[in-house]
Amino acid sequence: MKVIICGAGQVGWQIARHLSGERNDVTVVDNNPDLVRRATDTLDVQGIAGFASYPDVLEKAGARDADMIIAATHSDEVNMVTCQVAHSIFAIPRKVARLRSQSYLTAIYSDLYRRDHMPIDVVISPEKEVAEAAQQRLEAPAAFDTERFLQGDAHLLGLTIDEHCPIVNTPLRQLSDLFSTLRAVVVGIRREGTLFAPEPGDQLFVGDSCYVISHGDDVRRTLEIFGKSQRKQERVVVIGGGNVGLAVASALEKRTERIRAKVIERDRKRAEIAADALERTIVLHGDGLDSALLAEAGIDRADAVLCVTDDDKTNMLAAVRAKAEGCPMAIALVNDPTLIPLMEPLGVDAWINPRATTVSSILRHIRHGRVRSVYSIGDAEAEVIEAEVLSTSSMAGKLVRDIDFPEGVLIGAVRKGDKVVKIAGDLRIEDGDRVVIFALTKDVREVERLLQVSIDFF
């Protein structure tokens, strides 16, 4: 497949990294020559320096025979015009645009993106994706990473293994004997910075981070087995009242169970906008690092603090300060993936990487064949893929134990009809089943081959 990616920032670079690694023909366009050079030097892609919305630049990038264009520059307007040019002049079949401004995303204006108006096939909103990720973190406060699959019936949980974990030093194969009815599978373990798919004989050690796929009904029990308590979130302090903080606070107001939220915003104008938009949420104007203001917000009585300003270091420091003031749960928004290793030493319980959530969302929409959902783990180290098994798949009709998976691939969940079943070696995968598969990035292409979706994948 031939793909043009407009914007060579972190999101564009990560998408290019995914797609070029799967042997697609990728061209990156950016008006910053240094970013283009970084992409071409580190990835197997072509690069064009220029403005993505200019027809001559797109022509140089190969728009005449491109299958898809992904507009992920820093400007909403450039992304929109790029998709219009791609459609009107080059008839590129599939167009994806990242849009940040909430005005462009209001539902009542959705008619704008019709083919005869502004022809964008998929609109990605980073703020919306991040707000949804933040809500999921609040719903599973014991996990540092969460995502849902199979229409919410399967949950991916990222859990840190500590000395309170009852199953430390226990071979994973014994978990089936110890908890025979538990519908949960350990699909990934990160140890000393390296992520791998475990073998049945592998054990969990203190200090490991593991990824578990659990049936939605078994999440609470899974957390207990891994030594995690499920705290109810009734009071939340949100530091940062911009688009993300406002979206989270608005969502909390709409939840059926009552959650008392307070927002702290340093910029007065933003604070006033948030106060006007929110009905039951108290908005405080001031610095989220100010101990006196945190005390006024009741940080010592809060169940969680969510730090979502537009500055990574502020978010990290605010999370640490809130923990020091007595808040038991701190979640920080962090754009720079190199800062992630600092989270655990600093005592930050969970984090959200906006670029990772945006990349996952774009991948989900790119892979629109039989692949229903994609979630990128870590720094593009692995993917969790939800897909429907076709009758032509080499998996169809085979027992799980007989499927020739690469070492870095594991099945985490299977839905047969309307029922999510327990994973076992003698489980037969059949045509029409929905599977959730963990795959290290190097093995994603092999997973595609096993699923036999390459013909109608895009």
Side-chain angles (χ1 to χ4, degrees):
M1 185 177 71
K2 186 166 185 177
V3 185
I4 298 173
I5 299 173
C6 302
Q10 283 294 331
V11 169
W13 187 87
Q14 290 284 14
I15 290 294
R17 177 180 171 185
H18 276 272
L19 296 182
S20 64
E22 295 161 15
R23 301 179 188 175
N24 293 290
D25 182 357
V26 177
T27 301
V28 174
V29 178
D30 200 288
N31 65 342
N32 185 332
D34 293 334
L35 291 179
V36 173
R37 193 176 304 112
R38 183 190 71 150
T40 55
D41 288 349
T42 57
L43 304 172
D44 183 17
V45 301
Q46 300 174 68
I48 300 291
F51 287 93
S53 57
Y54 288 5
D56 60 325
V57 172
L58 289 181
E59 180 138 34
K60 287 179 185 176
R64 292 284 178 195
D65 57 351
D67 301 295
M68 176 182 295
I69 188 165
I70 300 169
T73 74
H74 293 295
S75 167
D76 287 357
E77 290 71 24
V78 169
N79 293 340
M80 296 168 78
V81 172
T82 298
C83 287
Q84 181 72 68
V85 172
H87 174 80
S88 301
I89 298 180
F90 301 107
I92 296 178
R94 192 158 175 82
K95 299 161 286 293
V96 179
R98 179 178 67 173
L99 301 181
R100 284 195 170 94
S101 173
Q102 297 306 296
S103 183
Y104 289 135
L105 302 169
T106 303
I108 60 173
Y109 304 134
S110 59
D111 196 48
L112 173 66
Y113 306 112
R114 279 173 26 192
R115 279 187 170 270
D116 54 343
H117 290 168
M118 184 70 68
I120 302 174
D121 300 298
V122 177
V123 173
I124 303 296
S125 165
E127 281 79 9
K128 181 181 176 183
E129 299 293 333
V130 169
E132 290 178 357
Q135 290 181 70
Q136 290 192 36
R137 297 291 191 279
L138 289 172
E139 290 174 6
F144 64 79
D145 200 358
T146 59
E147 184 59 37
R148 293 178 180 177
F149 298 90
L150 302 176
Q151 296 174 305
D153 287 337
H155 292 226
L156 173 72
L157 303 170
L159 303 173
T160 301
I161 305 302
D162 55 32
E163 60 274 12
H164 303 297
C165 178
I167 56 172
V168 166
N169 302 334
T170 303
L172 296 179
R173 66 162 62 92
Q174 291 185 17
L175 297 185
S176 297
D177 299 328
L178 293 170
F179 311 101
S180 59
T181 60
L182 182 69
R183 292 165 294 182
V185 179
V186 178
V187 293
I189 297 175
R190 188 189 306 281
R191 181 172 297 153
E192 296 178 355
T194 301
L195 182 66
F196 62 94
E199 297 285 341
D202 284 331
Q203 303 175 31
L204 293 172
F205 301 128
V206 173
D208 286 351
S209 296
C210 71
Y211 290 90
V212 184
I213 295 179
S214 168
H215 190 292
D217 294 340
D218 290 356
V219 168
R220 183 177 293 276
R221 187 177 173 214
T222 300
L223 291 172
E224 290 174 354
I225 288 171
F226 281 81
K228 306 295 182 182
S229 59
Q230 185 76 323
R231 300 185 298 270
K232 190 174 182 181
Q233 307 297 301
E234 295 179 338
R235 294 182 176 87
V236 176
V237 175
V238 180
I239 298 177
N243 288 336
V244 174
L246 181 56
V248 173
S250 298
L252 293 177
E253 285 191 342
K254 294 173 184 174
R255 287 171 67 162
T256 52
E257 65 273 24
R258 181 68 184 272
I259 294 181
R260 299 175 184 174
K262 293 181 181 177
V263 174
I264 298 175
E265 170 54 48
R266 187 172 185 174
D267 182 88
R268 175 173 287 279
K269 187 174 180 181
R270 280 187 183 179
E272 290 172 350
I273 292 172
D276 290 341
L278 298 168
E279 296 179 4
R280 302 194 311 268
T281 303
I282 296 173
V283 179
L284 302 174
H285 171 236
D287 189 345
L289 291 172
D290 185 340
S291 293
L293 188 59
L294 287 173
E296 184 181 344
I299 196 69
D300 59 329
R301 301 187 304 278
D303 298 301
V305 62
L306 187 62
C307 306
V308 290
T309 75
D310 55 7
D311 183 79
D312 287 356
K313 296 179 180 64
T314 298
N315 292 336
M316 294 167 65
L317 288 172
V320 172
R321 171 60 61 86
K323 293 275 284 191
E325 299 291 335
C327 184
M329 171 76 180
I331 304 170
L333 186 70
V334 180
N335 287 276
D336 184 352
T338 64
L339 296 175
I340 299 298
L342 299 176
M343 296 296 103
E344 189 175 343
L346 288 173
V348 180
D349 301 283
W351 52 90
I352 303 165
N353 185 331
R355 293 189 174 98
T357 58
T358 305
V359 167
S360 293
S361 182
I362 292 174
L363 288 173
R364 184 184 312 138
H365 292 290
I366 287 174
R367 298 177 175 170
H368 67 280
R370 297 298 184 177
V371 171
R372 307 299 183 189
S373 183
V374 177
Y375 185 66
S376 179
I377 287 179
D379 187 17
E381 298 161 276
E383 292 181 16
V384 181
I385 302 168
E386 177 188 333
E388 181 181 339
V389 177
L390 298 171
S391 59
T392 55
S393 169
S394 59
M395 294 171 57
K398 286 187 178 181
L399 302 179
V400 169
R401 69 164 69 98
D402 296 331
I403 300 173
D404 187 21
F405 285 126
E407 287 185 3
V409 176
L410 285 174
I411 288 186
V414 175
R415 163 174 271 166
K416 290 181 173 292
D418 59 355
K419 185 179 180 182
V420 178
V421 298
K422 180 178 170 63
I423 302 297
D426 58 356
L427 176 66
R428 191 175 299 278
I429 303 298
E430 298 172 309
D431 175 26
D433 287 352
R434 295 273 283 273
V435 295
V436 180
I437 297 175
F438 171 93
L440 296 178
T441 300
K442 64 181 179 63
D443 296 314
V444 167
R445 191 168 181 83
E446 179 62 16
V447 171
E448 295 175 17
R449 189 191 67 77
L450 286 171
L451 291 168
Q452 288 292 300
V453 295
S454 56
I455 295 173
D456 67 342
F457 201 55
F458 295 99

